[in-house]
Amino acid sequence: MRKWLSVALVLALAGCVGSEKEDVAAVPKVSVSSSDQRPAKLLFGPVATPSSHTPESFGSYSKGCLAGAVALPESGPTWQAMRLSRNRNWGQPVLVDFLEDLSRKAAAQPGWNGIYIGDMSQPRGGPMSSGHASHQIGLDADIWMLPATRLDLTRAERESLSSISMRRAAGAYVNDNWTRAHHEILKAAASDPRVARIFVFPGAKVQMCKDEKGDKSWLRKIRPWWGHHYHFHVRLNCPKGDSSCVDQAPPPPGDGCADAQDWVNNILNPPPPDPNAKPAKPKPPITLATLPAQCSAVLSSR
């Protein structure tokens, strides 16, 4: 893996996959270096193919890149990848394996024939032009809350179909779309040792805490976060032996149910704003120079 760090830093960027055709448009060659100050999302976003390396993640979930990515097949017996025009159905092999495994478990739930899978990572990871701060190292995936009843959706249908919201009262509670099947699918995902944490809106976590009558230890991985009511976000641990991948700190001890209830209480009764709080400074864009040094070689690879 170290040999390719000295690869000539010339980037041949290919165009994005079209929404209806597999044709790849030509994009002018762009020179890059590890000191490049351009926003990294402008460099990673247009690349249509993975690098020719052994799969490896460099950096952290919100500041890194991905070598040797593999694609989740667009369709399988118990899943379909959505929004194919984005070309974000890429990840580490462990992520693809996990999603296929989870889809089979979901297919065993009433009303579900599998799962619809949203954004994973770009072909070479890195910052995205829209939608996510994370999903940069091939270990994150969004799974739609909409039950996958049809698994023969066309490319056009995958662009137009939308998921459904599970929240009520700004996320303090679940709504009538929430079912026990959602609970069981999230439980199956959180019980998988490959999973580091799962993000979902606060009301869903509180509801699962109330409904789970057995061992609640798996709920530790279910973390409340804003949004995440049309989908839940699964994050895997760094693969063993991938020394360049930076794991997130583990969740606090315990099942986290009291913490989720605090989130709900703050939604229902928001604390008064701090009159002395200073406006947050906007974060500067992530540049190639601020990513791990290996990321310039990932971009440069044919």
Side-chain angles (χ1 to χ4, degrees), residues 6 172 206:
S6 60
V206 170

Side-chain angles (χ1 to χ4, degrees), residues 16 23 33 56-57 75 78 92 128 135 151 170 181 185-186 200 213 224 236 254 257 275 284 287 290 301:
C16 292
D23 299 334
S33 72
E56 190 168 4
S57 297
S75 296
T78 49
Q92 280 261 21
M128 293 182 178
H135 290 253
L151 294 173
I185 293 168
L186 279 154
V200 73
K213 304 306 180 184
L236 301 191
C257 291
T287 66
T290 59
S301 171

Side-chain angles (χ1 to χ4, degrees), residues 273-285:
D274 181 357
N276 299 316
K278 296 181 180 179
K281 293 182 179 180
K283 293 183 178 181

Side-chain angles (χ1 to χ4, degrees), residues 186 189-190 195-200 221-223 232-235:
L186 279 154
V195 171
R197 62 189 68 211
I198 297 170
F199 301 103
V200 73
K221 294 183 183 179
I222 307 289
R223 311 306 301 174
F232 62 93
H233 174 171
V234 176
R235 173 168 294 166

Side-chain angles (χ1 to χ4, degrees), residues 40-284:
K41 64 183 180 182
L42 301 180
L43 301 174
F44 283 92
V47 182
T49 58
S51 70
S52 54
H53 300 117
T54 301
E56 190 168 4
S57 297
F58 296 105
S60 60
Y61 302 94
S62 298
K63 198 171 186 178
C65 61
L66 172 63
V70 297
L72 174 76
E74 294 177 0
S75 296
T78 49
W79 77 86
Q80 283 199 287
M82 307 300 284
R83 303 292 190 266
L84 297 176
S85 64
R86 296 179 181 177
N87 197 25
R88 294 177 177 177
N89 59 313
W90 298 85
Q92 280 261 21
V94 65
L95 180 62
V96 172
D97 290 344
F98 165 79
L99 292 170
E100 293 180 359
D101 290 345
L102 182 64
S103 74
R104 287 187 284 270
K105 295 174 183 176
Q109 293 300 316
W112 293 69
N113 291 324
I115 55 176
Y116 294 139
I117 299 167
D119 286 353
M120 296 164 56
S121 288
Q122 299 175 139
R124 303 192 189 194
M128 293 182 178
S129 59
S130 63
H132 306 283
S134 59
H135 290 253
Q136 293 191 29
I137 57 174
L139 295 171
D140 294 283
D142 292 339
I143 299 168
W144 284 22
M145 294 290 196
L146 178 68
T149 55
R150 279 187 58 197
L151 294 173
D152 60 350
L153 298 172
T154 65
R155 291 182 67 90
E157 287 174 320
R158 297 188 221 194
E159 298 297 326
S160 61
L161 182 67
S162 295
S163 188
I164 54 175
S165 175
M166 298 284 114
R167 75 177 182 179
R168 179 168 61 88
Y173 307 107
V174 297
N175 61 25
D176 290 341
N177 291 325
W178 180 264
T179 67
R180 183 69 190 195
H182 288 91
H183 178 113
E184 294 299 333
I185 293 168
L186 279 154
K187 181 177 180 178
S191 301
D192 192 303
R194 293 169 289 189
V195 171
R197 62 189 68 211
I198 297 170
F199 301 103
V200 73
F201 69 100
K205 166 84 183 230
V206 170
Q207 188 65 48
M208 285 186 282
C209 289
K210 291 178 179 177
D211 292 343
E212 183 58 54
K213 304 306 180 184
D215 178 16
K216 294 188 178 184
S217 60
W218 60 272
L219 283 160
R220 180 188 181 198
K221 294 183 183 179
I222 307 289
R223 311 306 301 174
W225 199 249
W226 305 117
H228 297 89
H229 53 103
Y230 285 96
H231 69 266
F232 62 93
H233 174 171
V234 176
R235 173 168 294 166
L236 301 191
N237 296 300
C238 288
K240 291 182 179 180
D242 196 339
S243 60
S244 299
C245 180
V246 180
D247 270 311
Q248 188 174 358
D255 59 26
C257 291
D259 181 55
Q261 186 62 56
D262 288 341
W263 279 68
V264 167
N265 294 342
N266 287 332
I267 292 172
L268 298 174
N269 297 289
D274 181 357
N276 299 316
K278 296 181 180 179
K281 293 182 179 180
K283 293 183 178 181

